Amino acid sequence: MQFLTKNNNNSMNTRREFLKVSGGLLVGGMFIPYLTEAAKVKNVGINLYSVREQMLSDAAGTLEKLAKIGYKEIESARSEKGNYYGLRPKEIKQITKDLGLCLRSSHVLVNTDWKQSVEDAAEAGQHFLISAGLPSRGQTVDNYKRVAEVFNKAAEDCKESNLIFGYHNGGSDFTKENGQILYDVLLNNTDPDLVKMELDLGWAIVGGADPQEYFDKYPGRFPLWHLKDIKKDKEESTEFGKGRIDIVGLLKNKKKSDMKYFFVEQEEWENSPMESISFNFNYLKNLRF
């Protein structure tokens, strides 16, 4: 009887330990996914300049290929055939909708065609209209202040058409005159509620900027990104993971920058644009951060 009692006690102790351990695992199991689940990249966008030659030769067919790869967000870019590669605003709106794509934005210039660009963008149903360059030349503080005035007015035009105006930087925007960074002059002299920035992360870093500092200093100003990698030995874009840009580190700061949408952009290729953008999409699809 004593032997049986001892075994019973051991059984009870063992059972208690089992319940304690298994209960801990159960509770832990409820929290582990929350604590360890890595973020995934969703709704990958692309700037059509990355496939500009293909768009010029077959716009509808190229958009279909982008949809098959898995891209969801589209940003058009001005070309010799206009802002939508020969398509009319209503055409590209319908084509992208039928393919499950969303035309979010387009690159234009604030020039003599500006009013028409605004009308076209509104008709195309997009949300953003981005100036791809400065309306006047000059790497000076005075010119950037003049540009700021032009951009403030352009942003008002966009607001009237339910569009959001923004500016896409180049690397030269981060040069200095008299100790002032020209890009900062533009930010400080434009209305933060009306003029947003599409930060080209690759060229900003090449220009010597730290995107994190801009996200901290100018919260809410960067709803759009251009995501690209830059070669280690040249100032040329390359496929993700092959260059000098910390793609994962940038994506970890997307909330801080208040980023709404980003667009993959690659200007140069080793083989073909389609191979590169397919590689970039798969890189992002498999990324966890």
Side-chain angles (χ1 to χ4, degrees), residues 128 164-167 191-198 220-221 223:
F128 292 86
I164 300 172
F165 176 81
Y167 172 65
D191 187 334
D193 293 326
L194 294 178
V195 178
K196 302 300 182 179
M197 298 292 168
E198 179 175 56
R221 295 298 297 271

Side-chain angles (χ1 to χ4, degrees), residues 66-78:
L66 295 176
K68 287 182 178 179
I69 291 171
Y71 285 98
K72 295 296 183 183
E73 312 287 349
I74 298 295
E75 181 175 61
S76 190
R78 63 189 298 271

Side-chain angles (χ1 to χ4, degrees), residues 108-179:
V108 299
L109 291 177
V110 183
N111 55 15
T112 55
D113 297 324
W114 170 245
K115 293 290 187 180
Q116 188 62 53
S117 293
V118 174
E119 292 178 13
D120 289 347
E123 188 177 354
Q126 62 196 64
H127 304 113
F128 292 86
L129 190 58
I130 305 298
S131 177
L134 301 176
S136 57
R137 294 183 179 181
Q139 298 303 108
T140 65
V141 171
D142 286 343
N143 182 53
Y144 272 71
K145 286 182 177 179
R146 288 193 297 269
V147 169
E149 292 179 7
V150 174
F151 281 176
N152 282 328
K153 179 61 174 65
E156 291 175 0
D157 295 336
C158 283
K159 185 178 181 180
E160 291 176 2
S161 296
N162 295 316
L163 296 165
I164 300 172
F165 176 81
Y167 172 65
H168 172 275
N169 65 277
S172 61
D173 289 315
F174 298 93
T175 57
K176 294 182 180 180
E177 187 195 41
N178 297 327

Side-chain angles (χ1 to χ4, degrees), residues 229-243:
D229 207 345
I230 304 292
K231 290 181 179 179
K232 297 177 181 179
D233 58 344
K234 293 181 181 179
E235 292 188 0
E236 293 181 358
S237 56
T238 187
E239 289 81 12
F240 291 154
K242 298 182 179 181

